[in-house]
Amino acid sequence: MPKDFYVVLGLPRNATEDQIRQRFRELARVRHPDRFQGAERVKADRDFQEITQAFNVLSDPERRRQHDLELQRPGGGESDPKQLARAYLQRGVKAYKEKSFLEAADNFDRATKADPASSQTWHYLALACAQQANWLPRAVAAIERACELEPMNPSYRKQAGRICALAGQADRAVLHYRKAIEWGEDDPAVLRALEELEKPSSRRGLFGKAG
């Protein structure tokens, strides 16, 4: 099966020339080997070569046409939104670990658009958005979407409680923490956070205790 260069760049098959160029610039800026040291530099160098190869093929009309034909042949596979979402997710996780939260949120957001039924992508989007106070409304919406898709997932409920509390939505935080306890084992961190939230004098207290 040929390598799908659209997946390498995280682009749909109908991407325009400008979109291809812009995406390459974005990836080249954050993955340039000079930004890394040691083993990470070796991996970054491989990644940089791969995205450069992808750009060189997709930015050339004739080479792109040949690449598209290869992908359409038996065994080449059709455009797979889930595969695209996985590519975005992997890039987002890498950026999140490097504390590049804006880049992480951007990739996770792209993943949710490629595969909106994936609770995991919504969960990661929420975690990235929760790193910035002005992104908290988006974080709340994302984690609650993850909970809608997997209502009995105690981990998602726990994160929903934490994020809602950070956003000042104490009642919603309590609801999610209770669901976390209902669908999972008693978690001391959740119980402490719930106790704090349910104290009238602590409605503005330590919301971030459950992590």
Side-chain angles (χ1 to χ4, degrees), residues 6 21 65 72 82 87 110 116-117 128 146 173-174 182 191 203 205:
Y6 294 98
R21 190 175 298 106
R65 186 181 71 82
Q72 291 170 9
K82 292 185 182 297
R110 290 171 186 259
V174 167
E182 178 181 353
L191 293 173
R203 299 297 278 186

Side-chain angles (χ1 to χ4, degrees), residues 10-75:
L11 289 168
R13 297 276 176 92
N14 62 351
T16 66
E17 291 182 14
D18 286 343
Q19 288 174 324
I20 292 170
R21 190 175 298 106
Q22 179 180 352
R23 185 60 178 162
F24 171 71
R25 287 173 178 169
E26 293 172 354
L27 292 174
R29 184 170 58 251
V30 300
R31 297 188 183 187
H32 197 282
D34 289 348
R35 299 187 61 208
F36 302 92
Q37 300 289 334
E40 289 188 355
R41 184 186 177 97
V42 174
K43 183 180 184 305
D45 186 63
R46 288 197 301 266
D47 290 345
F48 191 77
Q49 290 180 26
E50 185 176 56
I51 63 175
T52 300
Q53 181 187 18
F55 172 73
N56 288 337
V57 170
L58 298 183
S59 62
D60 183 299
E62 179 57 27
R63 294 179 71 185
R64 181 177 182 179
R65 186 181 71 82
Q66 291 294 331
H67 181 59
D68 289 346
L69 288 174
E70 289 179 2
L71 294 176
Q72 291 170 9
R73 289 172 186 160

Side-chain angles (χ1 to χ4, degrees), residues 113-171:
K113 288 181 171 62
D115 186 9
S118 169
S119 59
Q120 184 184 37
T121 59
W122 289 104
H123 175 240
Y124 276 114
L125 175 60
L127 293 182
C129 289
Q131 302 301 317
Q132 299 289 334
N134 58 322
W135 297 349
L136 283 173
R138 177 65 169 144
V140 170
I143 194 60
E144 292 199 328
R145 180 58 181 150
C147 290
E148 288 175 9
L149 292 166
E150 285 194 43
M152 293 182 288
N153 186 318
S155 177
Y156 290 174
R157 291 291 185 175
K158 178 179 177 179
Q159 291 298 340
R162 183 182 69 85
I163 291 170
C164 286
L166 286 171
Q169 300 181 25
D171 291 340

Side-chain angles (χ1 to χ4, degrees), residues 183-198:
W183 298 116
E185 298 179 355
D186 287 346
D187 185 321
V190 170
L191 293 173
R192 286 196 303 271
L194 191 55
E195 182 181 359
E196 288 293 330
L197 285 166
E198 291 181 324

